[in-house]
Amino acid sequence: FSVRWIAGAKIHRWAKTISAWFADQVVVTAPGNLIYAEKYDVPVDNIIPVGVESKFIQSDEYGSLDVVTVARVERRKQPVFVDNHTPERYNVTIVGKSNNETLAEQLSSRWVGQVSEDELLRCYREAGVFVFPSYFDGFGLTAAEAMAAGTPVVVSDECCIDDWVTRFDLGAVYEFGDSDSYESALKTVLTNRNWNGQNAREFVESYLTWNRIAGCYEDLYTK
């Protein structure tokens, strides 16, 4: 990562840390955020995730599209890793606008750029597995949107929802940057896709609807 990116990330982190020190309540959006909060002595009172809009709750239509990932083309999001290390036998689609032209030039024809909402919905419901390879993300909304369509996920162990993926059998977790671990996770999830996909859909419907999340915040404000 560039010096500019690292400096910006540190400023962002400290701004949030200082704000949290003065807060009456501190809420994070995923289990992985607890690790970072504890590292900087920020007490966390609750975990309330981000919600998924109802339009993403769809019927599963897995066909010829094996792997999809949706993210901006930037180093933290790791689309080049997915492109380079997903075996050729898989039909892969990489969705997302480019924030880094140098990285975009490294992508193959698997990258389709930014797509319409209808096309995005189609990718979510037709994919065999959704890959979330980010170095760090506070939650991972695109993964949740894919799960809403019954698509299981493969996520890196550096993202903040890896604990949920393991605990609720939503897919598989791989070691960040390790191609062998990644390929093994893909194979595992595609083999157990129906089970993982059903769990993923039920997880969204049970925990990630906006009605439920709004209720959690309402309870917190009331207390």
Side-chain angles (χ1 to χ4, degrees):
F1 295 91
S2 68
V3 172
R4 180 181 177 185
W5 190 94
I6 293 171
K10 287 184 176 180
I11 292 170
H12 189 208
R13 183 193 72 208
W14 280 109
K16 291 191 291 186
T17 300
I18 292 170
S19 298
W21 285 339
F22 288 97
D24 293 321
Q25 293 278 313
V26 176
V27 176
V28 296
T29 57
N33 291 314
L34 293 173
I35 298 171
Y36 296 97
E38 291 170 357
K39 182 177 179 180
Y40 298 103
D41 298 319
V42 176
V44 174
D45 300 289
N46 209 335
I47 300 175
I48 302 178
V50 176
V52 176
E53 294 182 37
S54 58
K55 65 185 177 184
F56 291 104
I57 300 177
Q58 311 175 76
S59 298
D60 180 33
E61 295 180 6
Y62 175 40
S64 60
L65 179 57
D66 298 308
V67 177
V68 69
T69 186
V70 178
R72 293 184 302 275
V73 178
E74 58 183 61
R75 187 172 179 187
R76 179 172 65 90
K77 299 288 188 176
Q78 295 288 300
V80 174
F81 177 86
V82 176
D83 194 18
N84 289 345
H85 297 290
T86 304
E88 291 295 327
R89 65 180 179 274
Y90 294 129
N91 181 15
V92 180
T93 294
I94 299 171
V95 177
K97 66 180 181 179
S98 173
N99 281 8
N100 186 319
E101 292 306 316
T102 301
L103 285 181
E105 291 173 358
Q106 298 176 32
L107 292 168
S108 70
S109 58
R110 290 168 159 180
W111 176 50
V112 297
Q114 191 169 9
V115 299
S116 68
E117 183 178 283
D118 287 343
E119 183 68 10
L120 178 62
L121 292 171
R122 183 193 66 80
C123 287
Y124 280 146
R125 66 176 178 265
E126 292 186 2
V129 59
F130 181 87
V131 176
F132 191 67
S134 294
Y135 173 70
F136 174 79
D137 256 291
F139 179 68
L141 184 56
T142 54
E145 290 170 351
M147 290 193 295
T151 299
V153 294
V154 165
V155 306
S156 79
D157 60 1
E158 289 289 344
C159 76
C160 286
I161 61 170
D162 58 333
D163 179 78
W164 281 336
V165 172
T166 301
R167 194 191 328 166
F168 295 99
D169 289 326
L170 310 177
V173 178
Y174 71 93
E175 183 179 346
F176 177 80
D178 187 307
S179 59
D180 291 337
S181 176
Y182 168 66
E183 290 183 29
S184 176
L186 280 180
K187 183 178 180 180
T188 297
V189 174
L190 287 170
T191 300
N192 301 294
R193 186 187 182 279
N194 290 342
W195 168 253
N196 290 145
Q198 180 179 341
N199 290 342
R201 173 72 177 268
E202 291 176 354
F203 181 80
V204 171
E205 292 178 332
S206 298
Y207 297 102
L208 302 183
T209 63
W210 274 117
N211 281 341
R212 183 183 186 280
I213 291 163
C216 290
Y217 276 109
E218 186 176 9
D219 291 343
L220 182 63
Y221 292 141
T222 300
K223 291 177 183 178

